[in-house]
């Protein structure tokens, strides 16, 4: 069974631009969550989607948004990019919703660099 | 104070040594996760536990809910165990990560 896939793997953007990242979960998984990892802050939770609905959201500004499609694939969008948005963005999938007590299967990540 | 604290931050050991990484948390949790991240970024879930102890190969994870503390042990460590180990706690509406422990096993 294929793992979680993320595209693109690397991305370079300039300040003020917007970016869309994609995540395809493991087949049959309906829950997708997104995370940001930076050297300073470590891993931080962005949001969680299940059945096309956002269930939970971390403490990030409104420039960060996401959605989930009927096939469980998910996208996240960052508008008006800032230098501080440079990070590794990871998505993870699981069978059921609930970050607290469900094993998460992580994708390889998208490394975003904002110049 | 961070809600999830890991120690040590960095650990270098010789191949074959017994390794212990600690995680303390200050919030009520539903479960605790141990994750492994290799250079390049990929993260693998090692354990999810809410009580007691779990073992997988040379890895053992324990949790004490009353003490709000968990440990990850690696027996007979090997250079391929070199990675960052991250503790994360699940609370009802999010997951909170520790800063990670960078482990380097020397051959």
């Amino acid at each position: 069974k294929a793992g979680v896939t993320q595209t693109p793997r690397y991305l370079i953007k300039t300040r003020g631009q917007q970016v869309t990242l994609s995540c395809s979960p493991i087949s049959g998984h309906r829950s997708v969550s997104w995370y940001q990892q930076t050297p300073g802050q470590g891993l931080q939770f962005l949001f969680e989607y299940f059945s096309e609905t956002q269930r939970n959201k971390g403490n990030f500004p409104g420039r960060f948004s996401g959605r989930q499609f009927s096939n469980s694939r998910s996208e996240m969008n960052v508008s008006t990019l800032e230098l501080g948005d440079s990070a590794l963005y990871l998505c993870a999938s699981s069978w059921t919703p609930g970050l607290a007590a469900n094993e998460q299967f992580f994708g390889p990540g998208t490394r975003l660099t904002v110049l | 104070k961070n809600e999830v604290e890991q120690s040590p931050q960095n650990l270098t050991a010789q191949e074959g040594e017994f390794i212990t990484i600690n995680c303390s948390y200050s919030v009520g949790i539903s479960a605790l996760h141990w994750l492994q991240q290799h250079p390049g970024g990929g993260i693998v879930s090692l354990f999810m536990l809410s009580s007691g102890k779990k073992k997988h190969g040379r890895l053992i994870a324990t949790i004490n809910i009353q003490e709000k503390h968990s440990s990850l042990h690696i027996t007979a460590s090997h250079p391929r165990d070199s990675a960052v180990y991250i503790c994360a706690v699940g609370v009802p509406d999010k997951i909170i990560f520790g800063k990670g422990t960078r482990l380097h096993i020397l051959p």
Side-chain angles (χ1 to χ4, degrees):
Chain A
K1 186 181 279 190
V4 178
T5 58
Q6 291 187 245
T7 56
R9 293 292 311 278
Y10 302 91
L11 203 50
I12 300 175
K13 291 285 188 179
T14 56
R15 277 183 301 172
Q17 287 187 310
Q18 73 158 15
V19 66
T20 299
L21 312 181
S22 179
C23 172
S24 293
I26 290 172
S27 178
H29 285 192
R30 294 169 60 198
S31 177
V32 174
S33 52
W34 287 90
Y35 306 90
Q36 181 196 66
Q37 187 177 35
T38 59
Q41 297 297 318
L43 270 165
Q44 297 183 90
F45 165 67
L46 278 159
F47 23 67
E48 179 197 16
Y49 286 89
F50 179 76
S51 292
E52 303 177 64
T53 300
Q54 186 180 89
R55 294 188 76 250
N56 294 298
K57 189 177 193 303
N59 189 25
F60 278 82
R63 300 185 297 107
F64 292 80
S65 63
R67 59 178 176 168
Q68 187 181 33
F69 302 95
S70 58
N71 61 358
S72 296
R73 191 177 69 85
S74 178
E75 289 180 347
M76 68 162 282
N77 184 275
V78 187
S79 62
T80 318
L81 284 166
E82 300 177 359
L83 294 178
D85 297 333
S86 294
L88 180 67
Y89 290 88
L90 293 148
C91 82
S93 72
S94 62
W95 294 103
T96 55
L99 300 168
N102 281 292
E103 183 180 6
Q104 303 288 308
F105 294 84
F106 287 83
T110 294
R111 187 165 296 281
L112 171 65
T113 301
V114 182
L115 302 176
Chain B
K1 189 181 188 299
N2 292 328
E3 293 166 298
V4 181
E5 297 276 0
Q6 283 187 240
S7 63
Q9 286 185 306
N10 295 282
L11 179 57
T12 298
Q14 291 292 138
E15 182 174 356
E17 286 190 39
F18 181 82
I19 303 298
T20 296
I21 299 171
N22 296 299
C23 176
S24 296
Y25 54 92
S26 58
V27 295
I29 69 169
S30 300
L32 183 142
H33 304 254
W34 280 103
L35 310 171
Q36 180 192 56
Q37 185 171 32
H38 280 283
I43 292 178
V44 174
S45 176
L46 297 174
F47 295 102
M48 183 183 71
L49 61 166
S50 54
S51 65
K53 176 179 174 179
K54 287 190 176 181
K55 184 176 189 293
H56 184 255
R58 295 180 294 105
L59 301 177
I60 303 165
T62 64
I63 188 169
N64 184 319
I65 297 293
Q66 288 72 30
E67 296 291 324
K68 294 188 175 177
H69 181 268
S70 175
S71 292
L72 176 68
H73 305 287
I74 305 175
T75 62
S77 59
H78 189 276
R80 65 175 174 266
D81 297 325
S82 298
V84 176
Y85 292 83
I86 302 168
C87 168
V89 298
V91 297
D93 59 355
K94 61 181 177 180
I95 187 165
I96 307 169
F97 298 89
K99 296 294 187 188
T101 294
R102 188 173 300 276
L103 175 64
H104 187 201
I105 304 297
L106 301 171

PDB file of all heavy atoms in Angstrom, chain B residues 32-62:
ATOM      1  N   LEU B  32       0.045   9.552  24.200  1.00  0.00           N
ATOM      2  CA  LEU B  32       1.369  10.114  23.964  1.00  0.00           C
ATOM      3  C   LEU B  32       1.998   9.372  22.794  1.00  0.00           C
ATOM      4  O   LEU B  32       1.874   8.147  22.674  1.00  0.00           O
ATOM      5  CB  LEU B  32       2.233   9.980  25.217  1.00  0.00           C
ATOM      6  CG  LEU B  32       3.631  10.600  25.157  1.00  0.00           C
ATOM      7  CD1 LEU B  32       3.988  11.248  26.499  1.00  0.00           C
ATOM      8  CD2 LEU B  32       4.682   9.585  24.755  1.00  0.00           C
ATOM      9  N   HIS B  33       2.641  10.125  21.921  1.00  0.00           N
ATOM     10  CA  HIS B  33       3.266   9.543  20.734  1.00  0.00           C
ATOM     11  C   HIS B  33       4.774   9.724  20.797  1.00  0.00           C
ATOM     12  O   HIS B  33       5.261  10.782  21.223  1.00  0.00           O
ATOM     13  CB  HIS B  33       2.770  10.253  19.465  1.00  0.00           C
ATOM     14  CG  HIS B  33       1.283  10.259  19.283  1.00  0.00           C
ATOM     15  ND1 HIS B  33       0.646   9.459  18.358  1.00  0.00           N
ATOM     16  CD2 HIS B  33       0.313  10.983  19.891  1.00  0.00           C
ATOM     17  CE1 HIS B  33      -0.660   9.694  18.397  1.00  0.00           C
ATOM     18  NE2 HIS B  33      -0.897  10.599  19.322  1.00  0.00           N
ATOM     19  N   TRP B  34       5.497   8.708  20.368  1.00  0.00           N
ATOM     20  CA  TRP B  34       6.926   8.845  20.116  1.00  0.00           C
ATOM     21  C   TRP B  34       7.148   8.737  18.614  1.00  0.00           C
ATOM     22  O   TRP B  34       6.673   7.800  17.967  1.00  0.00           O
ATOM     23  CB  TRP B  34       7.723   7.764  20.837  1.00  0.00           C
ATOM     24  CG  TRP B  34       7.941   8.043  22.292  1.00  0.00           C
ATOM     25  CD1 TRP B  34       7.287   7.481  23.355  1.00  0.00           C
ATOM     26  CD2 TRP B  34       8.893   8.963  22.852  1.00  0.00           C
ATOM     27  NE1 TRP B  34       7.764   7.993  24.534  1.00  0.00           N
ATOM     28  CE2 TRP B  34       8.756   8.905  24.258  1.00  0.00           C
ATOM     29  CE3 TRP B  34       9.849   9.824  22.307  1.00  0.00           C
ATOM     30  CZ2 TRP B  34       9.539   9.681  25.126  1.00  0.00           C
ATOM     31  CZ3 TRP B  34      10.618  10.586  23.167  1.00  0.00           C
ATOM     32  CH2 TRP B  34      10.467  10.506  24.558  1.00  0.00           C
ATOM     33  N   LEU B  35       7.881   9.707  18.073  1.00  0.00           N
ATOM     34  CA  LEU B  35       8.143   9.778  16.643  1.00  0.00           C
ATOM     35  C   LEU B  35       9.642   9.773  16.398  1.00  0.00           C
ATOM     36  O   LEU B  35      10.418  10.225  17.242  1.00  0.00           O
ATOM     37  CB  LEU B  35       7.540  11.067  16.057  1.00  0.00           C
ATOM     38  CG  LEU B  35       6.078  11.372  16.400  1.00  0.00           C
ATOM     39  CD1 LEU B  35       5.716  12.775  15.926  1.00  0.00           C
ATOM     40  CD2 LEU B  35       5.160  10.345  15.769  1.00  0.00           C
ATOM     41  N   GLN B  36      10.030   9.283  15.227  1.00  0.00           N
ATOM     42  CA  GLN B  36      11.435   9.281  14.825  1.00  0.00           C
ATOM     43  C   GLN B  36      11.555  10.046  13.518  1.00  0.00           C
ATOM     44  O   GLN B  36      10.793   9.790  12.573  1.00  0.00           O
ATOM     45  CB  GLN B  36      11.919   7.839  14.636  1.00  0.00           C
ATOM     46  CG  GLN B  36      13.372   7.708  14.221  1.00  0.00           C
ATOM     47  CD  GLN B  36      13.686   6.292  13.766  1.00  0.00           C
ATOM     48  OE1 GLN B  36      13.050   5.753  12.866  1.00  0.00           O
ATOM     49  NE2 GLN B  36      14.674   5.668  14.389  1.00  0.00           N
ATOM     50  N   GLN B  37      12.517  10.965  13.476  1.00  0.00           N
ATOM     51  CA  GLN B  37      12.731  11.747  12.255  1.00  0.00           C
ATOM     52  C   GLN B  37      14.189  11.631  11.831  1.00  0.00           C
ATOM     53  O   GLN B  37      15.097  12.025  12.554  1.00  0.00           O
ATOM     54  CB  GLN B  37      12.370  13.215  12.458  1.00  0.00           C
ATOM     55  CG  GLN B  37      12.458  14.048  11.192  1.00  0.00           C
ATOM     56  CD  GLN B  37      11.899  15.443  11.369  1.00  0.00           C
ATOM     57  OE1 GLN B  37      11.978  16.015  12.439  1.00  0.00           O
ATOM     58  NE2 GLN B  37      11.315  16.003  10.305  1.00  0.00           N
ATOM     59  N   HIS B  38      14.388  11.094  10.631  1.00  0.00           N
ATOM     60  CA  HIS B  38      15.733  10.963  10.080  1.00  0.00           C
ATOM     61  C   HIS B  38      16.084  12.208   9.288  1.00  0.00           C
ATOM     62  O   HIS B  38      15.190  12.972   8.878  1.00  0.00           O
ATOM     63  CB  HIS B  38      15.818   9.726   9.188  1.00  0.00           C
ATOM     64  CG  HIS B  38      15.996   8.459   9.968  1.00  0.00           C
ATOM     65  ND1 HIS B  38      17.212   8.102  10.521  1.00  0.00           N
ATOM     66  CD2 HIS B  38      15.125   7.485  10.306  1.00  0.00           C
ATOM     67  CE1 HIS B  38      17.076   6.939  11.159  1.00  0.00           C
ATOM     68  NE2 HIS B  38      15.826   6.555  11.045  1.00  0.00           N
ATOM     69  N   PRO B  39      17.394  12.443   9.050  1.00  0.00           N
ATOM     70  CA  PRO B  39      17.800  13.565   8.185  1.00  0.00           C
ATOM     71  C   PRO B  39      17.054  13.482   6.862  1.00  0.00           C
ATOM     72  O   PRO B  39      16.888  12.409   6.303  1.00  0.00           O
ATOM     73  CB  PRO B  39      19.300  13.339   8.008  1.00  0.00           C
ATOM     74  CG  PRO B  39      19.713  12.556   9.201  1.00  0.00           C
ATOM     75  CD  PRO B  39      18.534  11.690   9.554  1.00  0.00           C
ATOM     76  N   GLY B  40      16.599  14.619   6.372  1.00  0.00           N
ATOM     77  CA  GLY B  40      15.771  14.600   5.169  1.00  0.00           C
ATOM     78  C   GLY B  40      14.320  14.852   5.495  1.00  0.00           C
ATOM     79  O   GLY B  40      13.542  15.244   4.628  1.00  0.00           O
ATOM     80  N   GLY B  41      13.942  14.615   6.730  1.00  0.00           N
ATOM     81  CA  GLY B  41      12.635  15.074   7.203  1.00  0.00           C
ATOM     82  C   GLY B  41      11.582  14.037   7.477  1.00  0.00           C
ATOM     83  O   GLY B  41      10.678  14.290   8.261  1.00  0.00           O
ATOM     84  N   GLY B  42      11.654  12.848   6.869  1.00  0.00           N
ATOM     85  CA  GLY B  42      10.567  11.897   7.040  1.00  0.00           C
ATOM     86  C   GLY B  42      10.361  11.504   8.492  1.00  0.00           C
ATOM     87  O   GLY B  42      11.304  11.265   9.230  1.00  0.00           O
ATOM     88  N   ILE B  43       9.106  11.450   8.913  1.00  0.00           N
ATOM     89  CA  ILE B  43       8.767  11.105  10.298  1.00  0.00           C
ATOM     90  C   ILE B  43       8.052   9.771  10.320  1.00  0.00           C
ATOM     91  O   ILE B  43       7.142   9.524   9.516  1.00  0.00           O
ATOM     92  CB  ILE B  43       7.873  12.183  10.928  1.00  0.00           C
ATOM     93  CG1 ILE B  43       8.649  13.492  11.115  1.00  0.00           C
ATOM     94  CG2 ILE B  43       7.327  11.717  12.280  1.00  0.00           C
ATOM     95  CD1 ILE B  43       7.833  14.634  11.697  1.00  0.00           C
ATOM     96  N   VAL B  44       8.466   8.936  11.270  1.00  0.00           N
ATOM     97  CA  VAL B  44       7.852   7.633  11.462  1.00  0.00           C
ATOM     98  C   VAL B  44       7.285   7.573  12.875  1.00  0.00           C
ATOM     99  O   VAL B  44       7.951   7.971  13.831  1.00  0.00           O
ATOM    100  CB  VAL B  44       8.883   6.503  11.257  1.00  0.00           C
ATOM    101  CG1 VAL B  44       8.265   5.151  11.616  1.00  0.00           C
ATOM    102  CG2 VAL B  44       9.395   6.492   9.834  1.00  0.00           C
ATOM    103  N   SER B  45       6.059   7.104  12.988  1.00  0.00           N
ATOM    104  CA  SER B  45       5.462   6.925  14.301  1.00  0.00           C
ATOM    105  C   SER B  45       5.994   5.632  14.906  1.00  0.00           C
ATOM    106  O   SER B  45       5.875   4.565  14.308  1.00  0.00           O
ATOM    107  CB  SER B  45       3.942   6.862  14.168  1.00  0.00           C
ATOM    108  OG  SER B  45       3.330   6.587  15.410  1.00  0.00           O
ATOM    109  N   LEU B  46       6.612   5.740  16.099  1.00  0.00           N
ATOM    110  CA  LEU B  46       7.173   4.561  16.754  1.00  0.00           C
ATOM    111  C   LEU B  46       6.157   3.921  17.703  1.00  0.00           C
ATOM    112  O   LEU B  46       5.965   2.707  17.691  1.00  0.00           O
ATOM    113  CB  LEU B  46       8.419   4.945  17.544  1.00  0.00           C
ATOM    114  CG  LEU B  46       9.608   5.490  16.749  1.00  0.00           C
ATOM    115  CD1 LEU B  46      10.701   5.955  17.697  1.00  0.00           C
ATOM    116  CD2 LEU B  46      10.128   4.456  15.769  1.00  0.00           C
ATOM    117  N   PHE B  47       5.564   4.746  18.550  1.00  0.00           N
ATOM    118  CA  PHE B  47       4.613   4.250  19.535  1.00  0.00           C
ATOM    119  C   PHE B  47       3.519   5.280  19.758  1.00  0.00           C
ATOM    120  O   PHE B  47       3.729   6.469  19.643  1.00  0.00           O
ATOM    121  CB  PHE B  47       5.290   4.019  20.903  1.00  0.00           C
ATOM    122  CG  PHE B  47       6.344   2.955  20.939  1.00  0.00           C
ATOM    123  CD1 PHE B  47       7.689   3.292  20.921  1.00  0.00           C
ATOM    124  CD2 PHE B  47       5.986   1.618  20.997  1.00  0.00           C
ATOM    125  CE1 PHE B  47       8.668   2.318  20.953  1.00  0.00           C
ATOM    126  CE2 PHE B  47       6.949   0.631  21.031  1.00  0.00           C
ATOM    127  CZ  PHE B  47       8.297   0.980  21.008  1.00  0.00           C
ATOM    128  N   MET B  48       2.340   4.738  20.097  1.00  0.00           N
ATOM    129  CA  MET B  48       1.280   5.557  20.652  1.00  0.00           C
ATOM    130  C   MET B  48       0.822   4.829  21.906  1.00  0.00           C
ATOM    131  O   MET B  48       0.488   3.641  21.835  1.00  0.00           O
ATOM    132  CB  MET B  48       0.119   5.716  19.684  1.00  0.00           C
ATOM    133  CG  MET B  48      -0.974   6.629  20.191  1.00  0.00           C
ATOM    134  SD  MET B  48      -2.358   6.728  19.046  1.00  0.00           S
ATOM    135  CE  MET B  48      -3.071   5.098  19.229  1.00  0.00           C
ATOM    136  N   LEU B  49       0.862   5.499  23.048  1.00  0.00           N
ATOM    137  CA  LEU B  49       0.468   4.811  24.272  1.00  0.00           C
ATOM    138  C   LEU B  49      -0.253   5.734  25.225  1.00  0.00           C
ATOM    139  O   LEU B  49      -0.032   6.941  25.236  1.00  0.00           O
ATOM    140  CB  LEU B  49       1.676   4.151  24.955  1.00  0.00           C
ATOM    141  CG  LEU B  49       2.868   4.951  25.463  1.00  0.00           C
ATOM    142  CD1 LEU B  49       3.737   4.084  26.384  1.00  0.00           C
ATOM    143  CD2 LEU B  49       3.712   5.484  24.358  1.00  0.00           C
ATOM    144  N   SER B  50      -1.152   5.146  25.987  1.00  0.00           N
ATOM    145  CA  SER B  50      -1.908   5.905  26.967  1.00  0.00           C
ATOM    146  C   SER B  50      -1.721   5.335  28.366  1.00  0.00           C
ATOM    147  O   SER B  50      -2.151   5.953  29.344  1.00  0.00           O
ATOM    148  CB  SER B  50      -3.396   5.934  26.611  1.00  0.00           C
ATOM    149  OG  SER B  50      -3.879   4.625  26.435  1.00  0.00           O
ATOM    150  N   SER B  51      -1.084   4.194  28.476  1.00  0.00           N
ATOM    151  CA  SER B  51      -0.788   3.622  29.783  1.00  0.00           C
ATOM    152  C   SER B  51       0.264   2.543  29.616  1.00  0.00           C
ATOM    153  O   SER B  51       0.412   1.973  28.523  1.00  0.00           O
ATOM    154  CB  SER B  51      -2.039   3.034  30.434  1.00  0.00           C
ATOM    155  OG  SER B  51      -2.509   1.937  29.680  1.00  0.00           O
ATOM    156  N   GLY B  52       0.982   2.251  30.696  1.00  0.00           N
ATOM    157  CA  GLY B  52       1.860   1.108  30.742  1.00  0.00           C
ATOM    158  C   GLY B  52       3.094   1.180  29.869  1.00  0.00           C
ATOM    159  O   GLY B  52       3.839   2.154  29.884  1.00  0.00           O
ATOM    160  N   LYS B  53       3.295   0.142  29.102  1.00  0.00           N
ATOM    161  CA  LYS B  53       4.553  -0.065  28.407  1.00  0.00           C
ATOM    162  C   LYS B  53       4.289  -0.758  27.085  1.00  0.00           C
ATOM    163  O   LYS B  53       3.391  -1.583  26.973  1.00  0.00           O
ATOM    164  CB  LYS B  53       5.415  -0.958  29.302  1.00  0.00           C
ATOM    165  CG  LYS B  53       6.747  -1.411  28.773  1.00  0.00           C
ATOM    166  CD  LYS B  53       7.428  -2.274  29.847  1.00  0.00           C
ATOM    167  CE  LYS B  53       8.708  -2.902  29.387  1.00  0.00           C
ATOM    168  NZ  LYS B  53       9.353  -3.694  30.455  1.00  0.00           N
ATOM    169  N   LYS B  54       5.079  -0.380  26.062  1.00  0.00           N
ATOM    170  CA  LYS B  54       5.008  -1.066  24.775  1.00  0.00           C
ATOM    171  C   LYS B  54       6.414  -1.373  24.312  1.00  0.00           C
ATOM    172  O   LYS B  54       7.349  -0.613  24.591  1.00  0.00           O
ATOM    173  CB  LYS B  54       4.272  -0.218  23.725  1.00  0.00           C
ATOM    174  CG  LYS B  54       2.769  -0.144  23.925  1.00  0.00           C
ATOM    175  CD  LYS B  54       2.088   0.496  22.736  1.00  0.00           C
ATOM    176  CE  LYS B  54       0.580   0.463  22.906  1.00  0.00           C
ATOM    177  NZ  LYS B  54      -0.132   1.064  21.759  1.00  0.00           N
ATOM    178  N   LYS B  55       6.558  -2.467  23.573  1.00  0.00           N
ATOM    179  CA  LYS B  55       7.881  -2.882  23.092  1.00  0.00           C
ATOM    180  C   LYS B  55       7.770  -3.243  21.629  1.00  0.00           C
ATOM    181  O   LYS B  55       6.828  -3.884  21.198  1.00  0.00           O
ATOM    182  CB  LYS B  55       8.374  -4.078  23.900  1.00  0.00           C
ATOM    183  CG  LYS B  55       9.777  -4.560  23.567  1.00  0.00           C
ATOM    184  CD  LYS B  55      10.183  -5.684  24.511  1.00  0.00           C
ATOM    185  CE  LYS B  55      11.645  -6.060  24.367  1.00  0.00           C
ATOM    186  NZ  LYS B  55      11.950  -6.679  23.078  1.00  0.00           N
ATOM    187  N   HIS B  56       8.775  -2.780  20.863  1.00  0.00           N
ATOM    188  CA  HIS B  56       8.835  -3.157  19.450  1.00  0.00           C
ATOM    189  C   HIS B  56      10.292  -3.327  19.090  1.00  0.00           C
ATOM    190  O   HIS B  56      11.033  -2.343  18.991  1.00  0.00           O
ATOM    191  CB  HIS B  56       8.177  -2.094  18.560  1.00  0.00           C
ATOM    192  CG  HIS B  56       8.134  -2.471  17.130  1.00  0.00           C
ATOM    193  ND1 HIS B  56       8.961  -1.923  16.176  1.00  0.00           N
ATOM    194  CD2 HIS B  56       7.352  -3.358  16.472  1.00  0.00           C
ATOM    195  CE1 HIS B  56       8.695  -2.464  15.001  1.00  0.00           C
ATOM    196  NE2 HIS B  56       7.724  -3.335  15.143  1.00  0.00           N
ATOM    197  N   GLY B  57      10.703  -4.571  18.951  1.00  0.00           N
ATOM    198  CA  GLY B  57      12.111  -4.828  18.655  1.00  0.00           C
ATOM    199  C   GLY B  57      12.990  -4.354  19.795  1.00  0.00           C
ATOM    200  O   GLY B  57      12.801  -4.746  20.949  1.00  0.00           O
ATOM    201  N   ARG B  58      13.950  -3.486  19.475  1.00  0.00           N
ATOM    202  CA  ARG B  58      14.866  -2.968  20.499  1.00  0.00           C
ATOM    203  C   ARG B  58      14.338  -1.703  21.189  1.00  0.00           C
ATOM    204  O   ARG B  58      15.018  -1.119  22.023  1.00  0.00           O
ATOM    205  CB  ARG B  58      16.220  -2.665  19.846  1.00  0.00           C
ATOM    206  CG  ARG B  58      16.943  -3.907  19.299  1.00  0.00           C
ATOM    207  CD  ARG B  58      18.283  -3.552  18.667  1.00  0.00           C
ATOM    208  NE  ARG B  58      18.122  -2.729  17.474  1.00  0.00           N
ATOM    209  CZ  ARG B  58      18.364  -1.434  17.425  1.00  0.00           C
ATOM    210  NH1 ARG B  58      18.812  -0.788  18.484  1.00  0.00           N
ATOM    211  NH2 ARG B  58      18.186  -0.768  16.301  1.00  0.00           N
ATOM    212  N   LEU B  59      13.156  -1.280  20.828  1.00  0.00           N
ATOM    213  CA  LEU B  59      12.583  -0.061  21.383  1.00  0.00           C
ATOM    214  C   LEU B  59      11.528  -0.393  22.424  1.00  0.00           C
ATOM    215  O   LEU B  59      10.710  -1.297  22.225  1.00  0.00           O
ATOM    216  CB  LEU B  59      11.949   0.780  20.274  1.00  0.00           C
ATOM    217  CG  LEU B  59      12.850   1.229  19.129  1.00  0.00           C
ATOM    218  CD1 LEU B  59      12.038   1.995  18.097  1.00  0.00           C
ATOM    219  CD2 LEU B  59      13.990   2.073  19.627  1.00  0.00           C
ATOM    220  N   ILE B  60      11.581   0.360  23.523  1.00  0.00           N
ATOM    221  CA  ILE B  60      10.598   0.208  24.597  1.00  0.00           C
ATOM    222  C   ILE B  60      10.118   1.592  24.984  1.00  0.00           C
ATOM    223  O   ILE B  60      10.927   2.508  25.157  1.00  0.00           O
ATOM    224  CB  ILE B  60      11.222  -0.461  25.835  1.00  0.00           C
ATOM    225  CG1 ILE B  60      11.825  -1.821  25.471  1.00  0.00           C
ATOM    226  CG2 ILE B  60      10.178  -0.629  26.946  1.00  0.00           C
ATOM    227  CD1 ILE B  60      12.753  -2.370  26.540  1.00  0.00           C
ATOM    228  N   ALA B  61       8.815   1.748  25.126  1.00  0.00           N
ATOM    229  CA  ALA B  61       8.252   3.017  25.580  1.00  0.00           C
ATOM    230  C   ALA B  61       7.399   2.770  26.807  1.00  0.00           C
ATOM    231  O   ALA B  61       6.643   1.795  26.855  1.00  0.00           O
ATOM    232  CB  ALA B  61       7.425   3.661  24.472  1.00  0.00           C
ATOM    233  N   THR B  62       7.559   3.647  27.783  1.00  0.00           N
ATOM    234  CA  THR B  62       6.768   3.544  29.006  1.00  0.00           C
ATOM    235  C   THR B  62       6.105   4.889  29.280  1.00  0.00           C
ATOM    236  O   THR B  62       6.579   5.937  28.836  1.00  0.00           O
ATOM    237  CB  THR B  62       7.643   3.169  30.212  1.00  0.00           C
ATOM    238  OG1 THR B  62       8.585   4.225  30.454  1.00  0.00           O
ATOM    239  CG2 THR B  62       8.395   1.870  29.977  1.00  0.00           C
TER     240      THR B  62
END
